[in-house]
Amino acid sequence: WEGMIPAGKVDQTTVAAGVDLFPTVCKLTAAPLPPHALLDGCDISEALLGKPVIRKCPLFWYYPNTPKPGKPDHVSPMLAVRDGHWKLLCNPDRTDMQLYNLAEDVGERTNRAEQNPEIAALLSSKLLDWFKALPIE
């Protein structure tokens, strides 16, 4: 987008996902969001305009894993949340809790759940509240 988005600039700070596209495009085009819209995404238009964005809302994922694909040791827990530099994975019954500090461990090799029980509890509560609100039968 010549004159708006800097060519060749790399942003290694902003965390973005597909759910951010709708609020971002609405902001960039000055289109109003639908009234009372409940969005999982955030406006990250500033990042596209060359200014890194610190994410204001967590990202959530749901992987049903039914049937379980691939090798058993490659199967992730069903739920995940990323909030800041923390990423938590667990199943809906809170089993297989895994907490990673992505600022220090981008490869998710060291589970920090036992060393950070408060963070694990807070993120798992957010994650399970989100999951319970999904229209899943």
Side-chain angles (χ1 to χ4, degrees), residues 27-121:
K27 174 71 174 198
L28 289 171
T29 61
L33 290 171
H36 312 295
L38 297 174
L39 304 175
D40 286 335
C42 300
D43 166 27
I44 57 157
S45 57
E46 290 296 312
L48 295 180
L49 299 172
K51 301 172 196 150
V53 171
I54 302 300
R55 186 171 197 85
K56 296 179 182 86
C57 60
L59 281 172
F60 298 98
W61 292 269
Y62 170 53
Y63 312 103
N65 288 334
T66 309
K68 292 187 183 287
K71 297 179 180 179
D73 55 334
H74 293 167
V75 175
S76 170
M78 294 173 66
L79 304 174
V81 59
R82 169 143 187 201
D83 198 356
H85 60 270
W86 291 104
K87 181 177 177 184
L88 180 112
L89 298 96
C90 71
N91 288 312
D93 61 1
R94 292 186 188 247
T95 59
D96 201 5
M97 182 111 28
Q98 300 171 30
L99 178 68
Y100 300 101
N101 181 335
L102 299 179
E104 299 170 0
D105 181 19
V106 71
E108 300 177 21
R109 300 193 190 287
T110 306
N111 184 351
R112 302 282 184 196
E114 287 186 21
Q115 295 93 339
N116 299 278
E118 305 85 17
I119 295 170

